[in-house]
Amino acid sequence: MRAKYIPADICIGVVGLGLMGSSIVVALLAAGHPVKAIAPLPAEEAEAPARILAQLQHCAAAGLLEAPIEDYQARLIISGDYHQLKDCRLVLECVIEKQDIKALVYRRITDVVSDDAVISSNTSAIPISVLQEQVLHPERFLGIHWAEPAYATRFLEITCGVQTAAKYADWVYELSRCWGKEATLLRKDIRGFITNRLMYAVYREALSLVADQRATLEDVDKSFRYDTGSWITLMGIFRRMDFNGISDYAAIFRTIFPTLSNSEEVPMLMQRMVDIHAKGIHNQKGLYEYTAAEAREWEAAFALFNRDICQLAALYPEEELHATESNGQSL
Amino acid sequence: MRAKYIPADICIGVVGLGLMGSSIVVALLAAGHPVKAIAPLPAEEAEAPARILAQLQHCAAAGLLEAPIEDYQARLIISGDYHQLKDCRLVLECVIEKQDIKALVYRRITDVVSDDAVISSNTSAIPISVLQEQVLHPERFLGIHWAEPAYATRFLEITCGVQTAAKYADWVYELSRCWGKEATLLRKDIRGFITNRLMYAVYREALSLVADQRATLEDVDKSFRYDTGSWITLMGIFRRMDFNGISDYAAIFRTIFPTLSNSEEVPMLMQRMVDIHAKGIHNQKGLYEYTAAEAREWEAAFALFNRDICQLAALYPEEELHATESNGQSL
């Protein structure tokens, strides 16, 4: 489908230039937008240019850029000064998941942008309806939740809070086609949106199996990698059911549902990770053990894998294979 | 790791030549085993040779065969006669998920195989400990659960029933390296093994979101395809947590767990599928709508995708990247 908008005409602001924020900046640049990138922390302002350049080089290597890297850099301003945001039609907040810090950021954004700018959060932890109470124009506030790396994934969740006006969500949804996204648009704000709810349902069951010593971490990882991984990118959950002939599922639901974990407790293993300040490959303390070299190998492996899986996924475009109507709402 | 066994010396039997059974036959042939394939139903006996040939051709096209297809066909006997199984060291049952039919099949197998043969089921619906009660030598009975297509996925779940002797599970585990599998070995029989438990936890939440009209089928599918799909094949669940820095999960568990579905009911949408005899793409009645042509497109797309994802996954072998020890049991 042809995009309705010309990205070069729409300036977008990004506030917060950590890993995710930088990656979103690159996604927007690659789509053709002028981008004002605000680093609230001096350390971020210092590190962002090199990180963004490296990510633009990844994009170029993966064939995602049409022009030389310099052209994209020329459309980017990195600054600690919120006044840079004044011409932005849309501002994306991606600072840490603390409500008071986000509130402060929204105030600073609101002070400079025009009255018709849309403000959004990349949060996956705080409900949009809650964050919305912190802004001057809640009807123009919504959630835009990206997957890492933002420039090389088709995932995007657009979520309305209770006060969000539908037209702004629709505008972002249309605009996101220019970003190469196949967005989901949630009209109602639900805790964890879709993807986190689904994955936390898996985590709950997986951690329960591990806690009961019925499976090891390795077993769980193998199971998801080799079974689910062999079809999920093409089909998703419900399409796979249709593919598998659908008729057996109901009987298995009946026997398996009553045996699944319904725990509401933080699993002991995860609490233990918090207690030992585990940051996984980032400080080589995690569910698995790592040397510094192994941690780097994982980063390198994911960069390569991600490029390949994106290219593979792109061979199966939404609009051709997935165009058939679902019966979900009518049945 | 070098395999301990020489597949050409180990004859394996497969009973039930539906889609899954045929695909298992091909996996075993490709690994170098002589295979006795028993078709309990005349229709299966008639259809199996062509289907198996087509699957061998897929294997050859994907570079999974070392010798000409004829060499593999020469090691295969397809028959309706259980006596063919008499020299088999291992027999894999893959008939429909009905306990009485499986019991009859086990009786026929037991009548002809030697006393030291191992018998297994591909069931994912009936506990191994239950099926085990139907056989003469329960200590030599276990679950071997494959993913479709069996010849092009690394997934395998080996599951002990309460009476299974560990040495037979260990033997199958070692043997499965010759099949190109990275098996999980469950010493205790749990309902749904690992992969079904994890996926049914997702289905429960996904169907609850759809039932409450908080998400559409398409939204759920997009979410899993574009987010989870972009990393799952490389990392699995727990490795991904380490990759993401792990520290945020505990806080999100606390807020999200109490909001997840704990339903034990068969979801209405799935019951409706049973009521209308939906078989998805196979009869063009399912969660999505299909024409006959669209159904064929999905089959073709999956065959291609599956070849590609297997080749991609093979670039990241278990033994190099995943060799680090987990801390799961010790913490």
Side-chain angles (χ1 to χ4, degrees), chain A residues 20 145-157 173 176-177 180-185 194-195 198-199 231-237 239 302 305-306 309-323, chain B residues 217-233 240 288 298 305:
Chain A
M20 193 75 230
H145 180 213
W146 304 66
E148 167 63 19
Y151 52 82
T153 42
R154 280 196 278 185
F155 175 83
L156 199 75
E157 277 179 330
Y173 183 86
S176 75
R177 295 181 187 271
K181 303 303 168 200
E182 303 276 359
T184 55
L185 172 49
I194 299 176
T195 190
L198 298 178
M199 287 313 297
W231 48 266
I232 199 77
T233 299
L234 179 66
M235 296 196 232
I237 290 171
R239 182 76 67 177
F302 182 63
F305 177 81
N306 190 261
I309 192 80
C310 285
Q311 288 175 353
L312 178 55
L315 300 177
Y316 304 91
E318 186 69 17
E319 284 162 27
E320 286 173 29
L321 270 173
H322 290 264
Chain B
L217 295 175
E218 289 88 346
D219 286 341
V220 167
D221 279 355
K222 279 184 191 173
S223 161
F224 242 58
R225 292 175 62 212
Y226 299 144
D227 183 4
T228 316
S230 72
W231 49 266
I232 199 76
T233 299
R240 177 68 173 182
Y288 293 93
W298 273 102
F305 177 83

Coordinates of all heavy atoms in Angstrom, one line a residue, chain A residues 20 145-157 173 176-177 180-185 194-195 198-199 231-237 239 302 305-306 309-323, chain B residues 217-233 240 288 298 305:
Chain A
M20 N 17.5 1.9 22.9 CA 16.2 1.8 22.1 C 16.0 3.2 21.4 O 15.6 3.2 20.2 CB 15.1 1.6 23.1 CG 13.8 1.2 22.5 SD 13.8 -0.4 21.8 CE 13.2 -0.1 20.2
H145 N 5.2 1.6 20.7 CA 6.1 0.6 21.3 C 6.8 -0.1 20.2 O 6.2 -0.8 19.4 CB 5.3 -0.3 22.2 CG 6.1 -1.4 22.9 ND1 5.6 -2.6 23.1 CD2 7.3 -1.4 23.4 CE1 6.5 -3.3 23.7 NE2 7.6 -2.6 23.9
W146 N 8.1 0.0 20.3 CA 9.0 -0.5 19.2 C 9.7 -1.8 19.7 O 9.8 -2.0 20.9 CB 10.1 0.5 18.8 CG 9.6 1.8 18.4 CD1 8.9 2.7 19.1 CD2 9.7 2.4 17.1 NE1 8.6 3.9 18.4 CE2 9.1 3.7 17.1 CE3 10.3 1.9 15.9 CZ2 9.1 4.5 16.0 CZ3 10.3 2.8 14.8 CH2 9.7 4.0 14.8
A147 N 10.1 -2.6 18.7 CA 11.0 -3.7 19.1 C 12.4 -3.4 18.7 O 12.7 -2.6 17.7 CB 10.6 -5.0 18.4
E148 N 13.4 -3.9 19.4 CA 14.8 -3.6 19.2 C 15.3 -4.6 18.2 O 15.1 -5.8 18.4 CB 15.5 -3.6 20.5 CG 17.0 -3.7 20.5 CD 17.7 -2.5 19.9 OE1 17.0 -1.4 19.7 OE2 18.8 -2.6 19.5
P149 N 16.1 -4.3 17.1 CA 16.4 -3.0 16.7 C 15.3 -2.4 15.9 O 14.7 -3.0 14.9 CB 17.6 -3.2 15.8 CG 17.6 -4.6 15.3 CD 16.8 -5.4 16.4
A150 N 14.9 -1.1 16.2 CA 13.7 -0.5 15.6 C 13.8 -0.4 14.1 O 12.8 -0.4 13.5 CB 13.6 0.9 16.3
Y151 N 15.0 -0.3 13.6 CA 15.1 0.0 12.2 C 15.1 -1.3 11.3 O 15.1 -1.3 10.1 CB 16.5 0.7 11.8 CG 17.7 0.0 12.4 CD1 18.3 -1.0 11.8 CD2 18.2 0.5 13.7 CE1 19.4 -1.7 12.4 CE2 19.3 -0.1 14.2 CZ 19.9 -1.2 13.6 OH 21.0 -1.8 14.2
A152 N 15.0 -2.5 12.0 CA 15.0 -3.7 11.3 C 14.0 -4.7 11.8 O 14.2 -5.9 11.7 CB 16.4 -4.3 11.4
T153 N 12.9 -4.2 12.4 CA 11.8 -5.1 12.8 C 10.5 -4.5 12.3 O 10.4 -3.2 12.2 CB 11.7 -5.2 14.3 OG1 11.9 -4.0 14.9 CG2 12.8 -6.2 14.8
R154 N 9.5 -5.3 11.9 CA 8.3 -4.8 11.4 C 7.3 -4.5 12.5 O 6.2 -4.0 12.3 CB 7.7 -5.8 10.4 CG 8.3 -5.7 9.0 CD 7.5 -6.4 8.0 NE 7.7 -7.8 8.0 CZ 7.2 -8.7 7.1 NH1 6.4 -8.2 6.2 NH2 7.4 -9.9 7.2
F155 N 7.7 -4.9 13.7 CA 6.8 -4.8 14.9 C 6.6 -3.3 15.3 O 7.5 -2.5 15.4 CB 7.5 -5.5 16.0 CG 6.7 -5.4 17.3 CD1 5.6 -6.2 17.6 CD2 7.1 -4.5 18.3 CE1 4.9 -6.1 18.8 CE2 6.4 -4.4 19.5 CZ 5.3 -5.2 19.7
L156 N 5.4 -3.0 15.6 CA 5.1 -1.7 16.3 C 3.7 -1.8 16.9 O 2.7 -2.3 16.3 CB 5.0 -0.5 15.2 CG 5.2 0.9 15.8 CD1 6.6 1.2 16.2 CD2 4.7 1.9 14.7
E157 N 3.6 -1.4 18.2 CA 2.3 -1.4 18.9 C 1.9 0.0 19.1 O 2.6 0.8 19.9 CB 2.4 -2.1 20.2 CG 2.3 -3.6 20.1 CD 2.4 -4.4 21.4 OE1 3.1 -3.9 22.3 OE2 1.8 -5.5 21.6
Y173 N -0.7 5.4 12.8 CA -0.8 4.1 12.1 C -0.4 4.3 10.6 O 0.4 3.5 10.1 CB -2.2 3.6 12.3 CG -2.4 2.2 11.7 CD1 -2.1 1.1 12.4 CD2 -2.9 2.0 10.4 CE1 -2.2 -0.2 11.9 CE2 -3.1 0.8 9.9 CZ -2.7 -0.3 10.6 OH -2.9 -1.6 10.1
S176 N 3.2 5.1 10.1 CA 4.1 4.0 10.4 C 4.4 3.1 9.2 O 5.3 2.3 9.2 CB 3.6 3.2 11.6 OG 2.6 2.3 11.2
R177 N 3.5 3.2 8.2 CA 3.7 2.5 7.0 C 5.0 3.0 6.3 O 5.7 2.2 5.7 CB 2.5 2.6 6.0 CG 1.3 2.0 6.5 CD 0.2 2.2 5.5 NE -1.1 1.8 6.0 CZ -1.6 0.5 5.8 NH1 -0.9 -0.4 5.2 NH2 -2.8 0.2 6.3
G180 N 8.1 1.3 7.4 CA 8.2 -0.1 7.1 C 7.6 -1.0 8.2 O 8.0 -2.2 8.3
K181 N 6.7 -0.5 9.0 CA 6.0 -1.3 10.0 C 4.7 -1.9 9.6 O 4.0 -1.3 8.8 CB 5.8 -0.4 11.3 CG 7.1 0.3 11.8 CD 8.2 -0.7 12.2 CE 9.5 0.0 12.4 NZ 10.6 -0.9 12.3
E182 N 4.4 -3.0 10.3 CA 3.0 -3.5 10.2 C 2.4 -3.4 11.6 O 2.4 -4.4 12.3 CB 3.1 -5.0 9.8 CG 3.8 -5.3 8.5 CD 2.9 -5.1 7.2 OE1 1.7 -4.8 7.4 OE2 3.5 -5.3 6.1
A183 N 2.0 -2.2 11.9 CA 1.6 -1.9 13.3 C 0.3 -2.6 13.7 O -0.5 -2.9 12.9 CB 1.5 -0.4 13.4
T184 N 0.3 -2.9 15.0 CA -1.0 -3.2 15.6 C -1.5 -1.9 16.3 O -0.7 -1.2 16.8 CB -0.9 -4.3 16.7 OG1 0.1 -3.9 17.7 CG2 -0.5 -5.6 16.1
L185 N -2.8 -1.8 16.3 CA -3.4 -0.5 16.8 C -4.4 -1.0 17.9 O -5.5 -1.5 17.6 CB -4.1 0.3 15.7 CG -4.9 1.5 16.1 CD1 -4.2 2.4 17.1 CD2 -5.3 2.3 14.9
I194 N -0.1 -6.2 23.8 CA -0.3 -7.6 23.3 C 0.9 -8.4 23.6 O 0.9 -9.4 24.2 CB -0.7 -7.7 21.9 CG1 -2.0 -6.9 21.6 CG2 -0.9 -9.1 21.4 CD1 -2.5 -6.9 20.2
T195 N 2.0 -7.9 23.0 CA 3.2 -8.8 23.0 C 3.7 -9.1 24.4 O 4.1 -10.3 24.6 CB 4.3 -8.1 22.1 OG1 5.3 -9.1 21.9 CG2 4.9 -6.9 22.7
L198 N 1.4 -11.8 26.0 CA 1.6 -13.1 25.5 C 2.9 -13.7 26.0 O 3.0 -14.9 26.4 CB 1.7 -13.1 23.9 CG 0.4 -12.6 23.2 CD1 0.6 -12.6 21.7 CD2 -0.8 -13.5 23.6
M199 N 4.0 -12.9 26.0 CA 5.3 -13.4 26.4 C 5.3 -13.7 27.9 O 5.9 -14.7 28.3 CB 6.4 -12.5 25.9 CG 6.7 -12.6 24.4 SD 6.8 -14.3 23.7 CE 8.2 -14.9 24.6
W231 N 8.3 -21.8 12.7 CA 7.2 -21.3 11.9 C 6.7 -19.9 12.3 O 6.0 -19.3 11.6 CB 6.0 -22.3 12.1 CG 5.7 -22.8 13.5 CD1 6.2 -23.9 14.1 CD2 4.9 -22.1 14.4 NE1 5.7 -24.0 15.4 CE2 4.9 -22.9 15.6 CE3 4.1 -20.9 14.4 CZ2 4.2 -22.5 16.8 CZ3 3.4 -20.6 15.6 CH2 3.4 -21.4 16.7
I232 N 7.1 -19.4 13.5 CA 6.4 -18.3 14.1 C 6.5 -17.0 13.2 O 5.6 -16.2 13.1 CB 6.9 -18.0 15.5 CG1 6.0 -17.1 16.3 CG2 8.3 -17.4 15.5 CD1 4.8 -17.8 16.7
T233 N 7.7 -16.8 12.6 CA 7.9 -15.6 11.8 C 7.0 -15.6 10.6 O 6.6 -14.5 10.1 CB 9.4 -15.6 11.3 OG1 10.2 -15.5 12.5 CG2 9.7 -14.3 10.5
L234 N 6.7 -16.7 10.0 CA 5.8 -16.8 8.9 C 4.4 -16.6 9.3 O 3.6 -15.9 8.6 CB 6.0 -18.1 8.1 CG 5.1 -18.3 6.9 CD1 5.4 -17.2 5.8 CD2 5.2 -19.7 6.3
M235 N 3.9 -17.3 10.4 CA 2.5 -17.5 10.6 C 1.9 -16.8 11.8 O 0.7 -16.5 11.8 CB 2.2 -19.0 10.7 CG 2.6 -19.7 9.4 SD 1.8 -21.3 9.4 CE 3.2 -22.3 9.1
G236 N 2.6 -16.6 12.8 CA 2.0 -16.2 14.1 C 1.2 -17.4 14.6 O 1.3 -18.5 14.1
I237 N 0.4 -17.1 15.7 CA -0.2 -18.2 16.5 C -1.5 -18.8 15.8 O -1.6 -20.0 15.7 CB -0.6 -17.6 17.8 CG1 0.6 -17.3 18.6 CG2 -1.6 -18.5 18.6 CD1 0.4 -16.6 19.9
R239 N -2.8 -18.3 12.7 CA -2.6 -18.9 11.3 C -2.0 -20.3 11.4 O -2.3 -21.2 10.6 CB -1.6 -17.9 10.6 CG -1.4 -18.3 9.2 CD -2.6 -18.0 8.3 NE -2.7 -16.6 8.1 CZ -3.7 -16.0 7.4 NH1 -4.5 -16.8 6.6 NH2 -3.8 -14.7 7.3
F302 N 23.5 -11.9 17.3 CA 22.2 -11.4 17.1 C 22.1 -10.4 16.0 O 21.2 -10.3 15.2 CB 21.7 -10.7 18.4 CG 20.3 -10.2 18.3 CD1 19.2 -11.1 18.0 CD2 20.0 -8.9 18.3 CE1 17.9 -10.7 17.8 CE2 18.7 -8.4 18.2 CZ 17.6 -9.3 17.9
F305 N 22.0 -12.5 12.9 CA 20.7 -13.2 12.8 C 19.6 -12.3 12.5 O 18.7 -12.5 11.7 CB 20.4 -13.9 14.1 CG 19.1 -14.6 14.1 CD1 19.0 -15.9 13.5 CD2 18.0 -14.0 14.7 CE1 17.8 -16.5 13.5 CE2 16.7 -14.7 14.6 CZ 16.6 -15.9 14.0
N306 N 19.6 -11.1 13.2 CA 18.5 -10.2 13.0 C 18.4 -9.7 11.6 O 17.3 -9.6 11.0 CB 18.6 -9.0 13.9 CG 17.4 -8.1 14.0 OD1 17.4 -7.1 13.3 ND2 16.4 -8.6 14.6
I309 N 17.0 -12.7 9.5 CA 15.5 -13.0 9.8 C 14.7 -11.9 9.2 O 13.6 -12.2 8.7 CB 15.2 -13.3 11.3 CG1 13.8 -13.9 11.4 CG2 15.3 -12.0 12.1 CD1 13.8 -15.4 11.1
C310 N 15.1 -10.7 9.2 CA 14.3 -9.6 8.6 C 14.3 -9.7 7.1 O 13.2 -9.5 6.5 CB 15.0 -8.2 9.0 SG 14.7 -7.8 10.7
Q311 N 15.4 -10.1 6.5 CA 15.3 -10.3 5.1 C 14.4 -11.5 4.7 O 13.7 -11.5 3.8 CB 16.8 -10.5 4.6 CG 17.6 -9.3 4.6 CD 19.0 -9.4 4.2 OE1 19.5 -10.6 4.0 NE2 19.8 -8.3 4.0
L312 N 14.5 -12.5 5.6 CA 13.7 -13.7 5.3 C 12.2 -13.3 5.5 O 11.3 -13.7 4.6 CB 14.0 -14.8 6.3 CG 13.2 -16.1 6.2 CD1 13.2 -16.7 4.8 CD2 13.8 -17.2 7.2
A313 N 11.9 -12.6 6.6 CA 10.5 -12.2 6.8 C 9.9 -11.4 5.7 O 8.8 -11.5 5.3 CB 10.4 -11.5 8.1
A314 N 10.8 -10.5 5.1 CA 10.4 -9.6 4.1 C 10.0 -10.3 2.8 O 9.3 -9.8 1.9 CB 11.5 -8.6 3.8
L315 N 10.4 -11.6 2.7 CA 9.9 -12.4 1.5 C 8.5 -12.8 1.6 O 7.9 -13.3 0.6 CB 10.8 -13.7 1.4 CG 12.3 -13.5 1.2 CD1 12.9 -14.9 1.2 CD2 12.6 -12.7 -0.1
Y316 N 7.9 -12.6 2.8 CA 6.5 -13.0 3.0 C 5.7 -11.8 3.4 O 5.3 -11.7 4.6 CB 6.4 -14.1 4.0 CG 7.3 -15.3 3.6 CD1 8.6 -15.4 4.0 CD2 6.7 -16.3 2.8 CE1 9.4 -16.5 3.6 CE2 7.5 -17.4 2.4 CZ 8.8 -17.4 2.8 OH 9.6 -18.5 2.4
P317 N 5.4 -10.9 2.5 CA 4.8 -9.6 3.0 C 3.3 -9.8 3.5 O 2.6 -10.7 3.0 CB 4.8 -8.8 1.7 CG 4.9 -9.8 0.6 CD 5.6 -11.0 1.1
E318 N 3.0 -9.1 4.4 CA 1.7 -9.0 5.0 C 0.6 -9.0 4.0 O -0.4 -9.8 4.0 CB 1.6 -7.8 5.9 CG 0.3 -7.6 6.7 CD 0.2 -8.6 7.8 OE1 1.2 -9.2 8.2 OE2 -0.9 -8.8 8.3
E319 N 0.7 -8.1 3.0 CA -0.4 -7.9 2.2 C -0.8 -9.0 1.2 O -1.9 -9.1 0.8 CB -0.2 -6.5 1.4 CG -0.5 -5.4 2.4 CD 0.1 -4.1 1.9 OE1 0.3 -3.9 0.7 OE2 0.5 -3.2 2.8
E320 N 0.2 -9.8 0.8 CA -0.1 -10.8 -0.1 C -0.6 -12.1 0.6 O -1.7 -12.5 0.4 CB 1.1 -11.2 -0.9 CG 1.4 -10.2 -2.0 CD 2.7 -10.4 -2.7 OE1 3.1 -11.6 -2.9 OE2 3.3 -9.4 -3.2
L321 N 0.2 -12.6 1.5 CA -0.2 -13.9 2.2 C -1.3 -13.7 3.2 O -2.1 -14.5 3.4 CB 1.0 -14.5 2.8 CG 1.8 -15.5 1.9 CD1 3.1 -15.9 2.7 CD2 1.0 -16.7 1.6
H322 N -1.2 -12.5 3.9 CA -2.1 -12.4 5.1 C -3.3 -11.6 4.8 O -4.0 -11.1 5.8 CB -1.3 -11.8 6.2 CG -0.2 -12.7 6.8 ND1 -0.4 -13.4 7.9 CD2 1.0 -12.9 6.4 CE1 0.7 -14.1 8.2 NE2 1.6 -13.9 7.2
A323 N -3.7 -11.4 3.6 CA -4.8 -10.5 3.2 C -6.1 -11.1 3.6 O -7.1 -10.4 3.7 CB -4.7 -10.1 1.8
Chain B
L217 N -7.4 -11.3 16.0 CA -6.5 -12.4 15.6 C -5.3 -11.9 14.8 O -4.2 -12.3 15.1 CB -7.2 -13.4 14.7 CG -8.4 -14.1 15.2 CD1 -9.1 -15.0 14.1 CD2 -8.0 -15.1 16.4
E218 N -5.5 -10.9 14.0 CA -4.4 -10.4 13.2 C -3.4 -9.7 14.1 O -2.2 -9.8 13.8 CB -4.9 -9.4 12.1 CG -5.7 -10.0 11.0 CD -7.2 -10.1 11.3 OE1 -7.6 -10.0 12.5 OE2 -8.0 -10.3 10.3
D219 N -3.9 -9.0 15.1 CA -3.0 -8.3 16.0 C -2.1 -9.3 16.7 O -0.9 -9.1 16.8 CB -3.7 -7.4 17.0 CG -4.4 -6.2 16.4 OD1 -3.9 -5.8 15.3 OD2 -5.3 -5.7 17.0
V220 N -2.7 -10.3 17.2 CA -1.9 -11.3 17.9 C -0.9 -12.0 17.0 O 0.3 -12.1 17.4 CB -2.9 -12.4 18.5 CG1 -2.1 -13.6 19.0 CG2 -3.7 -11.8 19.6
D221 N -1.3 -12.3 15.8 CA -0.4 -12.9 14.9 C 0.8 -12.0 14.5 O 1.9 -12.4 14.5 CB -1.1 -13.4 13.6 CG -1.8 -14.7 13.9 OD1 -1.6 -15.3 15.0 OD2 -2.5 -15.2 13.0
K222 N 0.5 -10.7 14.3 CA 1.5 -9.7 13.9 C 2.5 -9.6 15.1 O 3.7 -9.6 14.9 CB 0.9 -8.4 13.7 CG 0.3 -8.1 12.4 CD -0.1 -6.7 12.3 CE -1.0 -6.3 11.1 NZ -1.5 -5.0 11.2
S223 N 2.0 -9.6 16.3 CA 2.8 -9.4 17.5 C 3.8 -10.5 17.6 O 5.0 -10.3 17.8 CB 1.9 -9.3 18.7 OG 2.7 -9.6 19.8
F224 N 3.4 -11.7 17.4 CA 4.3 -12.9 17.5 C 5.2 -13.0 16.3 O 6.4 -13.3 16.5 CB 3.5 -14.2 17.7 CG 3.8 -14.8 19.0 CD1 3.6 -14.2 20.2 CD2 4.3 -16.1 19.1 CE1 3.9 -14.7 21.4 CE2 4.7 -16.7 20.3 CZ 4.4 -16.0 21.4
R225 N 4.7 -12.6 15.1 CA 5.6 -12.7 14.0 C 6.7 -11.7 14.0 O 7.8 -12.1 13.7 CB 4.7 -12.5 12.7 CG 3.7 -13.6 12.4 CD 2.9 -13.3 11.2 NE 3.7 -13.1 10.0 CZ 3.5 -12.3 9.0 NH1 2.4 -11.5 9.0 NH2 4.3 -12.2 8.0
Y226 N 6.4 -10.5 14.3 CA 7.3 -9.4 14.2 C 8.2 -9.2 15.4 O 9.3 -8.7 15.3 CB 6.6 -8.1 13.7 CG 5.9 -8.3 12.5 CD1 4.7 -7.6 12.3 CD2 6.4 -9.0 11.4 CE1 4.0 -7.7 11.1 CE2 5.7 -9.2 10.2 CZ 4.5 -8.5 10.1 OH 3.8 -8.6 8.9
D227 N 7.7 -9.5 16.6 CA 8.5 -9.2 17.7 C 9.2 -10.6 18.1 O 10.4 -10.8 17.8 CB 7.7 -8.7 18.9 CG 8.5 -8.4 20.1 OD1 9.7 -8.5 20.1 OD2 7.9 -8.0 21.2
T228 N 8.5 -11.5 18.7 CA 9.1 -12.8 19.0 C 9.8 -13.4 17.9 O 10.9 -13.9 18.1 CB 7.9 -13.7 19.5 OG1 7.1 -13.0 20.4 CG2 8.5 -14.9 20.3
G229 N 9.2 -13.4 16.7 CA 9.9 -14.0 15.5 C 11.2 -13.5 15.2 O 12.0 -14.1 14.6
S230 N 11.5 -12.2 15.6 CA 12.8 -11.6 15.2 C 14.0 -12.1 16.1 O 15.1 -11.8 15.8 CB 12.7 -10.1 15.3 OG 12.6 -9.6 16.6
W231 N 13.7 -12.9 17.1 CA 14.8 -13.4 17.9 C 14.7 -14.8 18.4 O 15.7 -15.4 18.8 CB 15.0 -12.5 19.2 CG 13.8 -12.2 20.0 CD1 12.9 -11.1 19.8 CD2 13.2 -13.0 21.0 NE1 11.9 -11.2 20.7 CE2 12.0 -12.3 21.4 CE3 13.5 -14.2 21.6 CZ2 11.2 -12.8 22.4 CZ3 12.7 -14.7 22.6 CH2 11.6 -14.0 23.0
I232 N 13.5 -15.4 18.4 CA 13.3 -16.7 19.0 C 14.1 -17.8 18.5 O 14.6 -18.6 19.3 CB 11.8 -17.0 19.0 CG1 11.4 -18.0 20.0 CG2 11.3 -17.5 17.6 CD1 11.3 -17.5 21.4
T233 N 14.3 -17.9 17.2 CA 15.1 -19.0 16.7 C 16.5 -19.0 17.1 O 17.2 -20.0 17.3 CB 15.0 -18.9 15.1 OG1 13.6 -19.0 14.7 CG2 15.8 -20.0 14.5
R240 N 17.2 -14.8 25.8 CA 16.7 -13.5 25.4 C 16.6 -12.5 26.6 O 17.0 -11.4 26.5 CB 15.3 -13.5 24.7 CG 14.7 -12.2 24.3 CD 15.5 -11.5 23.2 NE 14.8 -10.3 22.8 CZ 15.2 -9.6 21.8 NH1 16.4 -9.9 21.1 NH2 14.6 -8.5 21.4
Y288 N -9.1 -18.0 10.0 CA -9.1 -17.1 8.9 C -9.9 -17.8 7.7 O -10.2 -19.0 7.7 CB -7.7 -16.9 8.4 CG -6.8 -16.1 9.4 CD1 -6.0 -16.7 10.3 CD2 -6.8 -14.7 9.4 CE1 -5.2 -16.0 11.2 CE2 -6.0 -14.0 10.3 CZ -5.2 -14.6 11.2 OH -4.5 -13.9 12.0
W298 N -0.4 -21.0 1.1 CA 0.2 -21.2 2.4 C 1.0 -22.4 2.5 O 2.1 -22.4 3.2 CB -1.0 -21.2 3.5 CG -1.3 -19.8 3.9 CD1 -2.4 -19.1 3.5 CD2 -0.5 -19.0 4.7 NE1 -2.3 -17.8 4.0 CE2 -1.2 -17.7 4.8 CE3 0.7 -19.1 5.4 CZ2 -0.7 -16.6 5.5 CZ3 1.2 -18.1 6.2 CH2 0.5 -16.8 6.2
F305 N 9.6 -21.3 3.5 CA 10.0 -20.6 4.7 C 10.8 -21.6 5.6 O 11.8 -21.3 6.1 CB 8.9 -20.0 5.5 CG 9.3 -19.4 6.8 CD1 9.8 -18.1 6.8 CD2 9.2 -20.1 8.0 CE1 10.2 -17.6 8.0 CE2 9.6 -19.6 9.2 CZ 10.1 -18.3 9.2

